[in-house]
Amino acid sequence: MIRIRGIVFRLHPLFVLLMLLSVLTGRFAEIGTLFSIVLLHELGHLLMALRFGWTVREVKLLPFGGVLEVEEAGSVPAKEEVLVALAGPLQNAALAGLAWLFGQAGLVDPLWTGDFIAANALIALFNLLPILPLDGGRMLQAGFSLHIPYHRTLLWSARISLLFSFAVVCAAMYPLTRGGLLHLNLLVIGLFLCASNWTYLRNVPFVFLRFLVHRAKRSEARIDGGTLAQPIVVSDQRPLSSVVRLLMKERYHLVYVMNRGSVSRVVPEGKLIDGFLGSLTNGHADLRFFM
């Protein structure tokens, strides 16, 4: 673990395992190159996140990329999330381009150049798969958040990630059906992604609760900014837990509470969230709490 300007850089245990295996097999150059590519890939994410003013707590390096732990999780604009996610693969593209130029100029060994370009292409393309926490999964989640409520966004991005993680496991085992060899590295990564996304799916309620806490803190700022509100129309009998699940990440909402066919009250989203968070301890469960 290394701390630089308050940001912790850490190797994931899966990467440590891969490094130990490389020691046993004598593939020091390959693991050194992989570590450099992954680190530079993740620095692309980090620099873009810092450019947007995100508060980065930790950078965790995995064999295929990394994960940024940020304070603003779930509260930053989808556009920023997409640009931060793209910064990693674009960094790989830039590295591959530089290697090609150096190879054309005769400054580096052509064999090394080809391997380096292939490694960058593999890391970039793998990270574009629609699997969390890969870059493609982050972009998929950001895209969903523009069109459907955030709670549903979390559920569907986790489900799709789990499906594609299982597909990675199947791809690793497929050569066995043709008389070939098992892709052990791919199998390990696929199993890790399956476990990671299964855990994420189970933790969606906690991830969503964290989103609501951050959202409540920023509601007043949205009002001060003169944002347009998107209405949500619900019955006063509806549980608060189901109403907050209708909130969209990129919208500010006013909730129109209906009683016998007429509007009985208009509740700002900030008050709605505060009421829901309070209901977790005081037992008020539906919109009649605001009457």
Side-chain angles (χ1 to χ4, degrees):
M1 182 183 75
I2 301 174
R3 185 183 296 272
I4 302 175
R5 294 187 177 183
I7 302 173
V8 175
F9 289 79
R10 190 192 307 272
L11 285 177
H12 191 276
L14 190 62
F15 208 147
V16 175
L17 176 62
L18 184 63
M19 294 177 74
L20 291 175
L21 289 175
S22 72
V23 171
L24 295 176
T25 57
R27 304 180 67 176
F28 303 108
E30 290 87 344
I31 194 63
T33 301
L34 176 63
F35 177 81
S36 300
I37 291 173
V38 168
L39 179 60
L40 291 170
H41 172 102
E42 206 56 27
L43 285 177
H45 293 310
L46 176 61
L47 293 175
M48 185 63 75
L50 294 176
R51 181 178 180 275
F52 287 127
W54 294 14
T55 305
V56 181
R57 295 183 300 181
E58 181 178 282
V59 177
K60 188 177 294 183
L61 298 179
L62 290 139
F64 47 80
V67 178
L68 293 183
E69 294 288 341
V70 300
E71 290 285 348
E72 296 84 358
S75 63
V76 295
K79 179 181 178 181
E80 292 184 12
E81 289 186 313
V82 169
L83 291 175
V84 170
L86 276 174
L90 289 176
Q91 189 87 324
N92 292 124
L95 290 171
L98 285 173
W100 182 81
L101 289 175
F102 288 159
Q104 292 297 304
L107 299 176
V108 293
D109 181 75
L111 182 61
W112 179 89
T113 300
D115 290 342
F116 188 76
I117 291 174
N120 273 282
L122 182 63
I123 292 293
L125 292 174
F126 186 79
N127 269 278
L128 290 175
L129 291 175
I131 305 172
L132 292 169
L134 304 182
D135 303 329
R138 297 294 183 190
M139 288 187 282
L140 177 72
Q141 191 174 76
F144 277 166
S145 71
L146 294 174
H147 304 288
I148 60 177
Y150 195 61
H151 186 267
R152 205 178 304 166
T153 291
L154 294 175
L155 285 175
W156 277 105
S157 57
R159 289 166 179 166
I160 292 173
S161 295
L162 193 56
L163 176 64
F164 276 89
S165 298
F166 181 69
V168 171
V169 172
C170 292
M173 300 178 67
Y174 177 74
L176 294 176
T177 66
R178 315 286 291 185
L181 298 175
L182 175 72
H183 290 307
L184 183 59
N185 289 342
L186 189 61
L187 177 63
V188 171
I189 291 173
L191 290 174
F192 165 77
L193 290 173
C194 282
S196 175
N197 282 290
W198 175 251
T199 302
Y200 183 80
L201 183 59
R202 290 168 60 89
N203 288 333
V204 161
F206 304 103
V207 177
F208 184 66
L209 185 60
R210 183 184 178 189
F211 159 74
L212 290 178
V213 171
H214 283 288
R215 177 91 166 198
K217 293 178 180 178
R218 289 169 171 79
S219 289
E220 291 301 324
R222 288 173 175 263
I223 296 172
D224 292 340
T227 186
L228 295 176
Q230 177 173 313
I232 295 177
V233 182
V234 292
S235 165
D236 63 352
Q237 303 292 323
R238 189 153 185 174
L240 280 173
S241 59
S242 69
V243 179
V244 293
R245 291 179 182 180
L246 299 176
L247 297 176
M248 294 187 66
K249 182 170 175 284
E250 297 289 305
R251 298 285 188 270
Y252 177 79
H253 298 285
L254 292 175
V255 180
Y256 289 74
V257 183
M258 305 295 292
N259 180 266
R260 296 181 180 180
S262 61
V263 178
S264 60
R265 184 150 189 181
V266 179
V267 183
E269 70 166 41
K271 190 171 182 179
L272 177 80
I273 295 172
D274 288 341
F276 170 71
L277 296 176
S279 74
L280 298 178
T281 56
N282 64 27
H284 291 289
D286 58 46
L287 287 166
R288 285 174 294 180
F289 170 68
F290 298 102
M291 303 303 289

